[in-house]
Amino acid sequence: MTEAIRIQQVSKIYQSRTGPVHALGPVDLDVRPGEFISIVGPSGCGKSTLMLMIAGLLDITGGTIEVNGKQVSGPQTDIGIVFQSPVLVDWRTVLGNVMLQVEMRKLNTNDYIARAHQLLASVGLQDFESRYPFELSGGMQQRTAFCRALVHDPPLILMDEPLGALDAMTREQLRVDLELLWMQTRKTVIFVTHSITESVQLSDRVVVFTPRPGMIDRVIDINLPRPRSFEVRESVQYNQYVHEITNIFMGYGIFHEQKQLSEVS
Ligand SMILES: Nc1ncnc2c1ncn2[C@@H]1O[C@H](COP(=O)(O)OP(=O)(O)OP(=O)(O)O)[C@@H](O)[C@H]1O
Ligand SMILES: [Mg+2]
């Protein structure tokens, strides 16, 4: 079986004004078709760098990346991307923003309009299709961005902290929406997050990165039933996964226990 993504010995060194910055790698990772994979790692460990290289938007310093069996050497067209900010076009409606993806790719709008309606309905936006971005909450804007990333039916979706800018309650709801959306479409997803619980809740596998230069510390299979309801999230097994990842970061000194007042003073 062809891997959806094959990352082999990939590294990135940026040339900056103050000298070279070794941002990432070497990293080896195979992603299976239809897999939901999360990358968690400390700030600055090269997560966005890796996403940009997979998308073909940034040169690779060393190693190779293959997407669907083809080596990445320039911008990939057959992917959907979601960033932290939804980046919607102000003067287009919700439906217009989703269909922009189709129009920019010069695809036939008649072939995709039904899919756009269906995606928007699946995230609860059926009554908001003719609203403009300024009329929407942050969560609704990001749901629109999810639909835009999916409407042209790409096999691969790259998400770089897509829920990072949302308030805690909206974020909670969007995790649930995102899992359901993924279960319906079964796209290959690479999802970058700082949230350990989010990675466990959503993923088939969690890839834990070291501090910069980011390398893979551990890949953890998350064997939990889907959808990951509140019951699942309260299970012992779920919490064991969260602990396992937390402990890795504690080992790097990224988290530490609260000190006794007497130790501080
Ligand atoms: N254009 C650039 N020139 C020089 N250094 C860069 C450039 N872009 C990123 N870096 C450095 O590379 C490292 C990795 O950056 P990157 O944005 O990939 O990290 P990240 O894991 O996505 O961080 P965060 O979680 O904060 O988003 C950082 O130390 C950053 O300062
Ligand atoms: Mg980043």
Side-chain angles (χ1 to χ4, degrees), residues 26-247:
V27 168
D28 290 283
L29 181 69
D30 285 343
V31 182
R32 299 184 276 267
E35 189 173 24
F36 195 119
I37 212 160
S38 284
I39 297 177
V40 278
S43 187
C45 75
K47 303 180 295 297
S48 297
T49 298
L50 181 59
M51 296 292 259
L52 289 171
M53 292 195 296
I54 296 170
L57 299 171
L58 183 68
D59 287 343
I60 302 168
T61 308
T64 55
I65 299 179
E66 285 176 19
V67 175
N68 291 322
K70 287 203 194 106
Q71 193 166 329
V72 174
S73 58
Q76 299 287 294
T77 50
D78 212 9
I79 56 175
I81 303 182
V82 186
F83 298 108
Q84 187 168 1
S85 125
V87 221
L88 300 179
V89 176
D90 291 341
W91 59 90
R92 279 193 165 227
T93 62
V94 164
L95 184 62
N97 267 283
V98 173
M99 290 305 289
L100 188 60
Q101 179 84 269
V102 172
E103 292 166 33
M104 282 175 62
R105 290 166 187 275
K106 303 202 173 11
L107 301 169
N108 186 344
T109 44
N110 289 333
D111 296 341
Y112 291 88
I113 192 85
R115 183 173 165 82
H117 289 308
Q118 181 219 327
L119 284 167
L120 286 165
S122 70
V123 293
L125 288 177
Q126 63 279 4
D127 297 332
F128 293 84
E129 286 188 353
S130 52
R131 300 286 185 92
Y132 287 88
F134 72 88
E135 299 177 285
L136 306 177
S137 69
M140 290 166 146
Q141 291 185 19
Q142 199 56 307
R143 287 188 183 101
T144 306
F146 288 166
C147 296
R148 185 183 51 193
L150 283 162
V151 69
H152 56 306
D153 209 13
L156 172 63
I157 316 284
L158 303 177
M159 296 187 158
D160 194 350
E161 293 192 62
L163 311 182
L166 303 171
D167 65 86
M169 282 180 88
T170 308
R171 186 169 185 157
E172 190 78 31
Q173 183 57 50
L174 256 72
R175 289 178 182 183
V176 173
D177 292 348
L178 184 56
E179 187 189 27
L180 289 177
L181 206 53
W182 175 79
M183 287 175 75
Q184 284 162 14
T185 57
R186 293 284 167 172
K187 301 292 179 190
T188 311
V189 176
I190 304 192
F191 181 88
V192 166
T193 179
H194 280 121
S195 164
I196 295 169
T197 51
E198 197 159 281
S199 71
V200 174
Q201 184 176 337
L202 288 169
S203 312
D204 296 323
R205 285 191 295 161
V206 176
V207 180
V208 183
F209 270 44
T210 67
R212 184 171 72 84
M215 283 181 250
I216 295 177
D217 181 298
R218 206 173 301 175
V219 180
I220 301 167
D221 284 291
I222 309 293
N223 292 310
L224 294 171
R226 290 187 186 270
R228 302 208 170 135
S229 60
F230 281 106
E231 268 159 62
V232 174
R233 284 178 264 151
E234 281 167 6
S235 65
V236 173
Q237 215 186 346
Y238 178 92
N239 284 296
Q240 276 170 347
Y241 288 128
V242 172
H243 277 132
E244 181 177 353
I245 301 169
T246 307
N247 281 337

